[in-house]
Each structure stands twice: as structure tokens, then as C-alpha cells.
Amino acid sequence: MTRPVTLTTNAGVATITLSQPEIRNAFSDEVIGEITAAFEAVAQHAAVRAVVLAAEGPAFCAGANLNWMRRMADYSREENLVDAGKLAQMLRTIYTCPHPTIARVQGDVYAGGLGLVAACDMAVSVDSAHFCLSEVKIGLIPATIAPYVLRAMGARAGQRYFLTGERFDAAEALRIGFVHQVVAPEALDDAVDGLLKHLLQASPAAVRACKRLVQDTAGHAIDEALIARTVEGIAEIRASAEGKEGVQAFLAKRKPAWLS
């Protein structure tokens, strides 16, 4: 029996793949648990330099599995709290993964699936993909995914697409900043590989620190506390082994040790 989520690693890149194309890679509590476990596993591997979140079939992720939704329909408030907490933990695990993450969007993304894309650091989509925050159509709200989706598309776009539940295409996803790049299907892997090339050439420690820097800085007031954190951050990285090696390699016009 094929697992709903697979994990492979090659040359410093971990690929986590949603592998249920027959149900459009829809969520269930099992899938949520496996995605969480996969990201927790790659977070522990220092040899991993980047993570690609991919999917098989015509859809990237269609949101909640119908059978799972049928079970949820009879849940009490307390059971729903536990259930939603697992989804929230999955998204946070992706968002806080120490390695840079790329969503490889090969098809349509609906409802909770947008949370998967938004929780990743980067997203590349095929031009034929469509996106939809469809929760209001069935009397629900995209609450658990909202912190990540709104960081990706902004509050103004969120006000439209959260409220209307209308479908939008990849060109619109690019315009509002939800994805970083839109390409033809045959160019998708080259686009992802282009991002990976840059990530693998950079200092691993600096990339991890930059990821934390963005998360700790974006949206925060530029006050004395934030300034102090940025000063501390640059001082720490300058004094680190990789920081010193990188500067010395640059001055000596040689490759840094992490590329040797």
C-alpha cells in the first residue's frame, strides 16, 4: 500500500511528497500526522540543506478529505479543538523548519492546501494551477491557515478571497505575492532547481539565520528591542565559524569551505 506522504533525500535536498493523487492529495488526520512527522524528521538532519514540498497528480492539495469531513461533522467542540490543533501544529512545523522550504505547486490548491503553500518559504507554481479559499462556501472559515496565508498574500487580498471564496488563477496568485514564480508545467522542475542552486551555494548557517531573521522581524515595530536583536544577530554570525570562513574566502577570492 502506497503511503500518503513520502520522504526522500538526495544531495542535501529532502523532498516530501503528497502521494494520493486519486483523492487530489486531500488532508486527513493521518496525512496531517505524516506531514508533521516528515518535517520533524528533516529538521533533525544537519546534512539537509533545503526541503521541497511536492505532490503527485493533477492537484497539489484539495483541502480536507471528504471522509474526514464526514467524521468532523459529528465532532463536539472539544473534539474539534483537538483536531484543529493537529492541523495548526503541522503548519507551524513547516513554518519553523530550520531549513529553507519550497512548495512545488504542480496543480490546483484549495482550502487548507493554501496553508501548506503559505507555510513554505518559497512557492513556484505551474501557470495552469488554480487557488481557492473555499471555506465560506460550506459555512466555515480558514482560521487555522490564516496566519500563514495572510503573511503570504497580505490582508487586502485576504479580505477579498477569504470573504468571496472565489477561485483565482496562478497569474493572480503571483500578482498578490502568494507564489514567487509561475512557469509552464514543463519548466516547473527547472524553476525549483534554480532556487535550490542558490540555496545550496549559500552558507547553511547564514540561510538558517536569515530564515529566523525574516520571521522575527517582518511585521514588528522598529523599536529598540528589534534593533538590539538585529545588532546581536549580525555580531553572532560575524563571530561564527562559517561567518569568518565566508568573509575570508571572499577576500582571498576562493570558494568557502561549505562548497568544497
Side-chain angles (χ1 to χ4, degrees):
M1 181 177 178
T2 303
R3 295 182 67 88
V5 179
T6 61
L7 168 61
T8 60
T9 58
N10 180 46
V13 177
T15 302
I16 296 170
T17 305
L18 309 183
S19 304
Q20 292 184 300
E22 68 280 4
I23 58 169
R24 297 173 64 83
N25 298 306
F27 286 146
S28 66
D29 45 2
E30 178 190 7
V31 173
I32 288 170
E34 293 216 7
I35 294 173
T36 304
F39 273 92
E40 288 175 342
V42 299
Q44 301 302 315
H45 289 288
V48 171
R49 300 280 304 281
V51 184
V52 176
L53 179 59
E56 297 176 352
F60 180 81
C61 179
N65 181 305
L66 292 178
N67 289 328
W68 186 40
M69 290 181 69
R70 290 188 184 100
R71 294 201 307 273
M72 286 189 291
D74 294 324
Y75 280 2
S76 66
R77 183 178 184 277
E78 289 70 26
E79 288 172 321
N80 272 300
L81 283 172
V82 172
D83 197 68
K86 293 177 181 177
L87 177 60
Q89 179 59 35
M90 178 195 71
L91 294 170
R92 182 169 178 80
T93 301
I94 297 171
Y95 183 70
T96 59
C97 178
H99 313 301
T101 54
I102 303 172
R104 178 191 179 276
V105 182
Q106 93 297 352
D108 292 347
V109 190
Y110 280 73
L114 273 80
L116 286 175
V117 177
C120 290
D121 300 313
M122 289 157 262
V124 180
S125 172
V126 295
D127 54 15
S128 56
H130 286 85
F131 303 78
C132 184
L133 289 153
S134 55
E135 285 84 353
V136 293
K137 300 289 189 180
I138 59 171
L140 302 178
I141 60 174
T144 313
I145 66 172
Y148 308 95
V149 174
L150 291 176
R151 278 177 170 82
M153 69 168 55
R156 190 62 172 165
Q159 284 174 316
R160 173 177 177 175
Y161 293 114
F162 278 33
L163 300 180
T164 64
E166 65 190 292
R167 194 171 75 150
F168 56 95
D169 61 18
E172 174 68 355
L174 179 65
R175 187 190 72 81
I176 63 178
F178 188 73
V179 300
H180 294 92
Q181 193 174 355
V182 170
V183 297
E186 62 271 18
L188 181 59
D189 285 328
D190 285 343
V192 172
D193 287 344
L195 291 174
L196 289 170
K197 179 181 178 180
H198 289 295
L199 293 170
L200 295 175
Q201 287 178 340
S203 156
V207 168
R208 291 192 297 270
C210 275
K211 178 166 180 171
R212 291 193 302 270
L213 177 66
V214 173
Q215 294 177 352
D216 294 344
T217 304
H220 291 268
I222 304 176
D223 54 18
E224 291 299 326
L226 179 60
I227 292 170
R229 288 199 299 272
T230 62
V231 169
E232 183 177 353
I234 188 61
E236 287 184 357
I237 202 74
R238 284 177 181 171
S240 70
E242 276 192 20
K244 289 181 178 180
E245 165 61 12
V247 173
Q248 290 168 357
F250 173 76
L251 294 174
K253 297 183 179 180
R254 61 172 174 81
K255 289 184 178 180
W258 60 80
L259 292 181
S260 299

